[in-house]
Amino acid sequence: MRAFFAFFQNSLLEKERLAMLDIGYIREHAEEIRAAARHKGVAFDTDALLVCDGRRRLLLGETERLRAQRNRLTREAEALLRGGRGRKDGGGKPEDDGQAAVNSKTAEPAIAEAGNAEAPTPAAAPGTAAAVPQGRTAPEATEMPGVQAAERPAGIAGADAAEAIKARVRALGGELVTRERELAETEAEYRRLMLRAPNPPSADTPVGASDADNMLVKTAGLLPVFGFKPLDHVELGERLGLLDPARGVKAGGPRSYVLKGAGLRLHHAVQRLALDVLEARGFTALEVPVIVRPEALERTGFWPGGEDQVYALTGENRMLAGTSEVSLVSLYSDEIVDVSEPIRLAGSSPCFRSEIGSAGRDARGLYRVHQFAKIEQVVLCENDPAVSEAMLQDILENAEHILRLLELPYRVMAVCTGDMSLKTHKQYDIETWMPGRDAYGETHSASNLLDFQARRSNIRYRDSEGRLRFCHTLNNTAVATPRILIPLLENHQREDGSVRIPEALRPYMNGLEELRAPGREEA
């Protein structure tokens, strides 16, 4: 599979390409979008979008032309009728009569247009309104073809011309209704396609088909060497009175669990440690809504495409979020923000995922469950690839620092295109060593989305020149639990069945240094 790797050879920071996923960028870089869809394994038809966009622009122009034509003719008809009333009533001032004559000049071209929209406007002939000095009445200025001014009452020409124009306006109205309906249908299809356009991956993202093609960036920490047969986290949890999977399934069904006693305290301890680390590094801690609106999932790029992973509330148009990222980004939707310093957020929330498609995989224990808790990092920064790349490295380092405090061995992987979501530009996964699996298991995921989410969410800022621009957004796990309890228990187990608590966690465990089975004295 390694032979499948390929690397784009452009600059890491890609200063020449901001990859803003607007339609202008897609038009100019259609082949890049096609490649992004192909490498990410996304079913997206770039050509269909471009055709739809062309039709949309054509219909926009046509409807705007029809509206302008209708509005102009309506004004002309109103002017003719006002002029006709003034002459018929005999109460118009000389200057009113002169203006009526000037207004009546428009009747003839308007009638011609009613029969042929492309008909040229006839030039003014001697003796017509155009040749009449301002303030003088000229009966011949209002003549209609085949009718002499002396043979009709004053004002009839204006009324007849106005009726002709009104008939043309009605015809335009019907045509406009048809075009507006076509435009609405085309806009709906255009929006559907745009929501499925993939964010192009970064130049240094490896090309691959699945997580098997992710590339090793670094390893940290030493793998434990046991002089005994180690237990997995389920056996340890049950023996130490920390975990009760059977009763969890009894209450919640598959992929449910119960944490109890020191297991629950450990679950809270890792979250409190993560929050303290992030707050010390300039993050604002928030507890945010876990019940969210559908548009929040769409704005953040989880929809379309991830609907089957979300629990919906029956009878309500709201869902349970699988990460606080959804709410954290949505807090700033439709706002102009100040990112002279990046906005750093630490969200604390329960999370819910249906895990559709995972049947039979990781069904044992705490690795893949429907309900969990997470401390999430989200950053909003200026629209500069160098800045967002630096922020990506920062939030990656935050997660690594927490793992070092937990004294856990881990590795960092560059995620390949085929293992990336639609919204992601660049991604790292952190995998922590889990002795019970005899393998590394994913515990963190750090992503740079450029302006993909901000464009959907309409989150903007003013740059140094005062121009409005869309922010870049990034996210990474700080800690997700109970999954992190797997390596925590398994790596720190001892031959006597106890588990050592890392020093960084002890202040959050009331000074407890180790976990032992109930009834056994601490060493």
Side-chain angles (χ1 to χ4, degrees), residues 35-46:
R38 184 168 63 252
H39 291 317
K40 285 189 171 185
V42 175
F44 176 71
D45 191 336
T46 306

Side-chain angles (χ1 to χ4, degrees), residues 83-97:
R85 284 194 298 270
R87 293 179 58 84
K88 186 174 181 180
D89 294 343
K93 296 179 181 179
E95 53 268 32
D96 294 334
D97 290 341

Side-chain angles (χ1 to χ4, degrees), residues 257-316:
Y257 59 92
V258 170
L259 295 174
K260 58 182 184 178
L264 177 61
R265 294 201 301 276
L266 198 62
H267 174 71
H268 288 159
V270 293
Q271 295 176 70
R272 292 170 60 196
L273 171 65
L275 279 175
D276 283 353
V277 167
L278 294 180
E279 286 190 296
R281 297 187 174 201
F283 282 71
T284 300
L286 303 97
E287 180 159 315
V288 293
V290 68
I291 300 175
V292 298
R293 296 175 174 179
E295 53 265 34
L297 293 159
E298 188 176 275
R299 286 170 180 159
T300 49
F302 288 91
W303 285 9
E307 291 86 347
D308 61 353
Q309 292 298 315
V310 177
Y311 287 110
L313 301 184
T314 303
E316 296 190 41

Side-chain angles (χ1 to χ4, degrees), residues 64 366 448 465:
E64 288 171 3
L366 302 176
N448 183 354
E465 298 178 358

Side-chain angles (χ1 to χ4, degrees), residues 425-468:
H425 173 66
K426 182 175 180 178
Q427 179 177 342
Y428 294 108
D429 279 355
I430 300 179
E431 300 176 347
T432 306
W433 180 252
M434 300 180 181
R437 298 164 66 93
D438 194 29
Y440 288 96
E442 180 194 333
T443 52
H444 300 71
S445 185
S447 300
N448 183 354
L449 284 73
L450 298 185
D451 65 355
F452 188 91
Q453 288 181 326
R455 186 174 292 278
R456 288 181 173 214
S457 301
N458 193 31
I459 305 172
R460 299 173 295 166
Y461 72 100
R462 292 194 183 276
D463 65 14
S464 59
E465 298 178 358
R467 297 175 302 176
L468 284 172

